[in-house]
Amino acid sequence: MNHKELLEKMLLIRAFDEKVNELYAEGKVHGTAHFYVGQEAVAVGVISALREGDVITSTHRGHGHAIAFGLDIDRMAAELLGKASGYCHGKGGSMHIADVKAGMLGANGIVGGSMGIACGAGWAFRRRGEEKVAVCFFGDGAVQEGIFNEALNLAAIWDLPVVFVCENNQYAMSKSVKTAFDTDTLSGRASGYGMPGVTVDGMSLLEVHEVASEAAELARRGGGPTLIEAITYRYLGHSKSDANLYRTREEIQQWRKRDPIAHFASELEKRGELQKDEWRELEHAARERIEEAFEKASEQPEPEPESALEDVYA
Amino acid sequence: MPRDITYREAVREAMTQAMREDDSVFLMGEDVGVYGGAFGVSRGMIEEFGEERVVDTPLSEAGFVGLCIGTSLMGMRPIAEIQFSDFITHCMDQLVNQAAKLRYMFGGEAEVPLVLRTPGGAGTGAAAQHSQSLEDWFIHVPGLKVVMPSTPYDAKGLLLASLDDPNPVIFYEHKLLYNKKGDVPEEQYRIPVGEARISREGEDVTVVAAGLVHHHALEAADALSGEGVEAEVVDLRTLSPMDHETVRGSVEKTGKLVVVEEDVKTAGWGAEVISRIVESESFYALDRAPARVAGADTPIPYNKNLEAFIRPSPEKVIEAVRKLLDVKVGVYS
Ligand SMILES: Cc1ncc(C[n+]2csc(CCOP(=O)(O)OP(=O)(O)O)c2C)c(N)n1
C-alpha cells in the first residue's frame, strides 16, 4: 500500500467535488450533485483494502467512491457536463456514474437502492466459487430504509461476501442521526443479523483501511458479511443548495479540525513518508488535474438528441 | 403426437430446461423449494437442482429481487418468483428504479436480464390483496417488458424467450390457468417477446385480449358464431412491447374493435390498444366506436357473486359485441 498514492486519491476526490461545487454555483453544471468533501478517508480507506476483481456499489454521494475505485476523472467530468464521452454518455449525470465492466456497479439515486444489488454481486461470487468481495457503500439514511434489514439478513443467512459500509456522516439531508435512531451506534445492528459489526473513525484512513481489510478477508474466506460504521462528516451542504439550517457553523468547524486529509498527511510526515508541506504540492497537482479534466470535458461534443431514445432496451 | 401438459407444467418445463442448459440460471423466491411454490409451479425442481439454484428466500421481496438484479449485472440469469403479484408492491423500487433504469442511466453500458414470474388475476375468491391485475403499472415503465401468456404452449415458449432476453421481463401467470392443459412439445422452442397471435380468424369484429380473459374472448367468439357473427380474436401475449401492427391488421379487416382485459378499466392497457388505433390511419377503418370489457374500478371483493359481478366474463364479452353490432354509429353504417 503506497500511502502517498492514497493521500493523492483523497486530494483528487476533494478537488473534484470542490470544483463541481464551484461549477454549480456558476451555473455550468445542472441537475444536482452531492459532495463527498470531508468523507474521503472512508472511500479511499475501504477501497484500498480491495483486490482486482472486487466490486462496489455506490450512492447518490458517489464521486468519492468512483475516484477511489479508479474511474477515469476525464470521463466523470464529461458525464457531469452531460457529454457523449461521459461514463453514461450524458444519460446518467452525477448520481448514476457507473463502470459495470470494471466492477463499479453504479452510483444510485435511491437511498438504499443498491443494497440488494451488492448482495447479488456477492451471490454471483459465491456461486462461482470466486474469492471476491462486494462492498456496499451507503449512508445513515439508508439504515432507516426497509431494504437495509432485508439485505443484511440475506447476506448473513447466505454468508455472502459483502462488506456493508455505512458512512455515518451525522445527517440524512437534515435528519440528524440523533433523532433518527435511538441507539448509540449503527454497527450494533449487526449482531441482530448474526454478523460482526464495527464502528470506526471515518476520519482516519488507516483505521478504516484496517477494519475494511479484516472484513474483506473474512468475506473472501467464506466467513460472510460485516457491517462497518464509519463515523464521518460532510463539510458541504447536502447537495448543491443547502443553507445548513439544521446544524451550526461551530459544529462544522469542530469537525473540520479533524480533517481526514490533514490528519493523514501529518501522520505521513511524522513517519517520514512525506516531506513537510509536500502535501500542499500534491493538493496543487490534484487541483490542476481536475481543472484540466473539466476543461477537456467542456470541449467535448454534446450527445445527439436522438440518442435519448436509445438504450432503453438492450 | 400431441403431448398435453398443464400451464403449470409448461412453466416448470421451461425453467427446468433453461437451468439444465445454463448454469447461471436459478430460481429464487418464497417457498419455491420443497414446498414447490405457493401454486406448485416449481415442485420437484429442488430435487434436481439443489437449494443453491432453487432458492428459498425469507420474506424479503425487495431484498431478493434486488439481489437478483445484482446477479444479472454480474452476468447471471435469475428468475425471481413473487408469490402473488399483489406483493410486487414490496419490490416496486427494485423494478421501477433499478431494473428498468440501470441500463439507460448507465448509457447502455449494462444489461439486466432478470425474469420476474408472478401469478396475477382474480377468480379465486382471495379478495382484494391476492387478486389484482397490476400489469399496467409496468407497461408504463420503459425499460421493462411485460409478458402474459394464455396457453401452456405460449407459457413455455415465452418463458424460454424471456430467459434469453437481455432485458428485465415481468412474466405474468394466472392462477386460474395453472391447471389448463394444452399441447406442448417437449423440445425447446421460443415465442418472440412482443408478438401477438391471431388465435381465431373472423371477419366481423376484432376482439383483443390477453391472459386468462383471452379464453373468455374465445368462448364468446364460439357462442357468437352461432348467431352468425364471426369474431377475430387477437391474443396479445406480450403487453410491453405491444404488437400494435397485428391489432391494426385485424381492425382494418373487421372495422370493429372490442378489448377484453382483466385489469381495472381506468387507464388499463385496453385504453392503449384503442388509442393506438384511433391515432393511426386505422381509425378510418372503424365503423363503430371501440368498446372495452374490463374489470370494474373497484378492489376485488371476497363474495363470489360480488367478484363475478365486477370481473370480465364470456357473457360480458358476448354482450359487448352484440351491443357494438347493434348500434348504428358513424358514416359507414
Ligand atoms: C428512497 C429515497 N428517499 C429519499 C431520497 C431523497 N434523499 C436523497 S439523499 C437523502 C439523504 C440520504 O442520507 P444518507 O443515506 O445518510 O446519505 P448522505 O446524503 O448523508 O450521504 C435523501 C433524503 C432519495 N433519494 N431516495
Side-chain angles (χ1 to χ4, degrees), chain A residues 34 39 59-61 109-111 138-145 167 169 171-173 234 238:
Chain A
H34 306 81
Q39 301 180 212
T59 68
H60 57 286
R61 197 175 303 288
I110 304 296
V111 172
F138 55 96
D140 42 283
V143 180
Q144 300 161 27
E145 294 282 358
E167 301 189 56
N169 63 6
Y171 294 94
M173 219 157 137
R234 75 169 148 71
H238 167 70

Side-chain angles (χ1 to χ4, degrees), chain B residues 251-266:
Chain B
V251 167
E252 285 179 13
K253 183 167 92 175
T254 65
K256 297 173 190 66
L257 172 62
V258 175
V259 181
V260 187
E261 55 188 318
E262 186 172 352
D263 55 341
V264 302
K265 188 170 191 170
T266 300

Side-chain angles (χ1 to χ4, degrees), chain B residues 194-319:
Chain B
E195 270 187 24
R197 176 177 76 104
I198 295 183
S199 54
R200 184 189 194 282
E201 292 196 14
E203 303 292 325
D204 301 325
V205 57
T206 297
V207 182
V208 176
L212 174 77
V213 296
H214 167 240
H215 299 283
H216 295 355
L218 287 176
E219 258 184 68
D222 282 347
L224 287 162
S225 182
E227 300 173 16
V229 175
E230 293 304 332
E232 177 145 300
V233 179
V234 179
D235 182 1
L236 282 179
R237 306 197 290 192
T238 298
L239 296 178
S240 174
M242 211 179 260
D243 182 358
H244 298 291
E245 279 315 299
T246 296
V247 178
R248 279 185 66 171
S250 179
V251 167
E252 285 179 13
K253 183 167 92 175
T254 65
K256 297 173 190 66
L257 172 62
V258 175
V259 181
V260 187
E261 55 188 318
E262 186 172 352
D263 55 341
V264 302
K265 188 170 191 170
T266 300
W269 57 259
E272 186 63 26
V273 172
I274 292 171
S275 297
R276 294 288 175 135
I277 292 294
V278 167
E279 71 183 1
S280 73
E281 286 296 310
S282 310
F283 172 72
Y284 300 103
L286 288 172
D287 57 22
R288 295 287 190 282
R292 281 183 284 171
V293 179
D297 289 334
T298 68
I300 305 291
Y302 170 64
N303 176 288
K304 284 274 182 194
N305 294 330
L306 299 188
E307 186 184 30
F309 185 75
I310 57 115
R311 296 184 65 222
S313 64
E315 296 69 36
K316 288 179 186 175
V317 178
I318 294 167
E319 204 170 309

Side-chain angles (χ1 to χ4, degrees), chain A residues 219-283:
Chain A
R220 237 182 266 292
R221 288 198 318 267
T226 298
L227 171 61
I228 296 173
E229 176 191 20
I231 305 291
T232 181
Y233 200 76
R234 75 169 148 71
Y235 292 175
L236 304 179
H238 167 70
S239 59
K240 52 164 181 158
S241 52
D242 181 340
N244 280 320
L245 297 173
Y246 51 88
R247 58 182 183 178
T248 63
R249 201 166 292 185
E250 292 70 40
E251 181 184 294
I252 301 173
Q253 283 316 317
Q254 284 307 314
W255 278 93
R256 276 186 180 269
K257 284 188 195 147
R258 300 177 48 197
D259 187 71
I261 294 178
H263 181 86
F264 188 54
S266 73
E267 178 71 30
L268 295 190
E269 282 172 18
K270 260 187 253 155
R271 295 176 179 210
E273 293 179 34
L274 202 69
Q275 305 292 315
K276 179 129 184 63
D277 289 333
E278 188 185 344
W279 76 277
R280 288 290 174 196
E281 284 164 37
L282 298 178
E283 182 182 45

Side-chain angles (χ1 to χ4, degrees), chain A residues 55 75 79 87-89 91-93 95-98 100-101 105-110 112-114 116-121 123-128 147 150-151 153-154 157-158 160 307-314, chain B residues 23 26 28 51-53 55-64 66-71 73-76 90 93-94 97-98 100 102-111 141-145 165-167 240-241:
Chain A
V55 303
R75 290 187 66 194
E79 188 56 37
Y87 268 106
C88 315
H89 311 301
K91 288 203 181 94
M95 282 192 289
H96 305 305
I97 288 174
V100 174
K101 285 183 194 86
L105 303 186
N108 206 304
I110 304 296
S114 56
I117 294 172
C119 290
W123 179 275
F125 292 151
R126 212 203 56 180
R127 269 292 298 159
R128 295 170 183 160
I147 196 165
E150 297 189 13
N153 190 51
L154 294 184
I157 58 171
W158 292 327
L160 300 181
S307 73
L309 303 177
E310 294 162 6
D311 303 324
V312 180
Y313 294 99
Chain B
D23 192 48
F26 64 97
M28 186 173 265
E51 56 187 28
E52 286 286 300
R53 295 186 69 200
V55 189
D56 270 330
T57 67
L59 297 170
S60 302
E61 292 83 2
F64 78 75
L67 187 154
C68 286
I69 293 168
T71 64
L73 279 180
M74 301 299 289
M76 296 186 79
H90 275 224
D93 177 61
Q94 295 303 316
N97 284 320
Q98 311 299 335
L102 295 180
R103 177 178 178 78
Y104 188 82
M105 67 193 192
F106 296 168
E109 304 286 348
E111 287 180 0
V141 179
L144 298 178
K145 294 187 176 182
D165 203 291
N167 299 290
S240 174

